[in-house]
Structures are given as structure tokens and as C-alpha cells.
Amino acid sequence: AQKITQTQPGMFVQEKEAVTLDCTYDTSDPSYGLFWYKQPSSGEMIFLIYQGSYDQQNATEGRYSLNFQKARKSANLVISASQLGDSAMYFCAMSDSSWGKFQFGAGTQVVVTP
Amino acid sequence: DVKVTQSSRYLVKRTGEKVFLECVQDMDHENMFWYRQDPGLGLRLIYFSYDVKMKEKGDIPEGYSVSREKKERFSLILESASTNQTSMYLCASSPSGGLAGGLMSNEQFFGPGTRLTVL
């Protein structure tokens, strides 16, 4: 069975600093995808970044980067130069290779302070 | 842009009522999903569908059923609502599942959510 763990329920970060959100996963499937989503207080889920299990390089999308350590089964999200608008809940998710179902972590609440 | 819409943002129902939550996507996606979101638990999969009239149970299907009569529409039904079904319900769709279109095509696009309160 697949499992996703986010061990940080919440964190504060100062504006312009970088923040790392932890995500570890467990699967026996060699083919899987890792996704990060942002959920602001308004409730919509916003896709941020994707990493495939066979990708050799860490994914980057603007200020977001994914620190993918396959041997350690971790896929941490790094947000550089935090902005006040980054305050939100962040979810890590893993898709399987059968139907593309997602397993979500419990989420990390990030609060960016001035 | 992919658009996933849900019939209501907020819904208040009474215990024992039959509740319908509707989800519509406009991008001809094969897969559709229903989740519930509760604090500290993340999103948990209730049901998903990979084709019209096809459905599969997710992790927490008890107390729920689904219907997919048309490709673009996926309905979640609470046959007899109970207070422990008070939650945020999120619908999602994806172009395909598994390895068929590449793992990136598993990206799920979400609706705005329905916050359901059962009194």
C-alpha cells in the first residue's frame, strides 16, 4: 500500500526567506508521480510542481523546487524568497501507476510573516 | 484552461436527508474523483471513475455512492446524511490514469469544493 507522510503540521517563515516542506513516501511500485498542491484559505487546490519516479533531475517551477531523494523516498518542496501570498496549506501527493489515484499527505500549514 | 465546477460552495442539510453533490469538468477528462478533506487528515479518496458508468471504491466509500452517466459529470450521493459526514468535499478530474499518457497526465484538476454541514 502507498503512504505519504508530512510531518510538519505548521510552520512560520519570514518574508523573503526560503522554506522547506518535508514529504516522505512509501511505495513498492517503481513507477509513480509526486505532486505538490497549494490550498489558500479560499479552498481551491493549485498545482505547483511534479516529479516522476524516473526523472533524473529535480523539478523546478519558478520559486518552487522539489528536492527528490529517491533512495530516501523523500520529495521535499522548497519555496525560495517567500511572499505573503505563499501563506496556505501545502499538500504532497503520490499517484500510482494503475489508475493514477492520489494518496495525499496530511498537509503543512505555512504562515509567512512580514 | 481546465475547469472543474461543483454545484454548491456551501450546503446545509439535516440528518437522514439524501444529498447530491454534482461535479462537472469541461476538458474531456477520462478520470474523475471525489475526496473529502478533514483537518489533520488531508484529502481522502471516496470514489473514482475511469469511464462513463464505471466506478471504483476509494479509501472511505462507506455511506457514499456515485454516479457517472455522462463523461463530464460525476455525482456524489449521500443516501442518508449523518453528522460525521460534515466535511469539505472536493471533486477532481485528470486526463488519464496510470502509465497510459505518462505519469504527468495523472495531474488532477480540482473544483472549488463544497463545504457540507449536516445538522
Side-chain angles (χ1 to χ4, degrees), chain A residues 47-60:
Chain A
F47 165 73
L48 295 178
I49 197 166
Y50 159 81
Q51 181 86 41
S53 59
Y54 297 113
D55 294 342
Q56 296 294 315
Q57 292 195 322
N58 287 343
T60 59

Side-chain angles (χ1 to χ4, degrees), chain B residues 31-46:
Chain B
N31 291 2
M32 296 187 75
F33 306 83
W34 274 107
Y35 296 91
R36 65 175 283 175
Q37 181 182 0
D38 300 289
L41 297 177
L43 280 72
R44 292 178 293 165
L45 182 65
I46 304 171

Side-chain angles (χ1 to χ4, degrees), chain B residues 54-89:
Chain B
M54 306 303 288
K55 61 186 179 186
E56 292 285 338
K57 292 180 180 179
D59 299 318
I60 52 165
E62 297 78 19
Y64 304 93
S65 62
V66 290
S67 171
R68 193 168 180 199
E69 296 296 318
K70 293 185 177 181
K71 190 174 186 179
E72 67 271 17
R73 191 179 296 269
F74 192 36
S75 302
L76 179 69
I77 304 151
L78 287 66
E79 294 290 340
S80 178
S82 63
T83 55
N84 63 12
Q85 292 178 310
T86 291
S87 187
M88 169 73 97
Y89 290 87

Side-chain angles (χ1 to χ4, degrees), chain A:
Chain A
Q2 294 185 314
K3 190 177 176 183
I4 288 273
T5 303
Q6 293 180 255
T7 56
Q8 306 152 308
M11 46 199 313
F12 288 91
V13 59
Q14 269 202 304
E15 211 175 355
K16 298 188 182 125
E17 287 187 352
V19 60
T20 298
L21 308 183
D22 295 340
C23 174
T24 58
Y25 61 91
D26 189 21
T27 181
S28 56
D29 192 342
S31 301
Y32 52 88
L34 295 156
F35 296 79
W36 278 91
Y37 284 83
K38 170 185 178 182
Q39 187 182 45
S41 56
S42 53
E44 77 267 32
M45 295 282 281
I46 302 166
F47 165 73
L48 295 178
I49 197 166
Y50 159 81
Q51 181 86 41
S53 59
Y54 297 113
D55 294 342
Q56 296 294 315
Q57 292 195 322
N58 287 343
T60 59
E61 289 286 348
R63 294 187 298 111
Y64 304 106
S65 60
L66 204 153
N67 184 1
F68 182 46
Q69 297 189 43
K70 194 170 181 176
R72 298 180 62 183
K73 293 189 174 179
S74 75
N76 298 340
L77 177 71
V78 180
I79 306 173
S80 62
S82 296
Q83 302 171 355
L84 295 177
D86 293 334
S87 293
M89 181 73 88
Y90 289 81
F91 290 101
C92 179
M94 177 169 59
S95 69
D96 66 15
S97 63
S98 55
W99 297 112
K101 292 186 300 177
F102 277 14
Q103 283 287 332
F104 280 88
T108 297
Q109 181 74 50
V110 172
V111 177
V112 181
T113 58

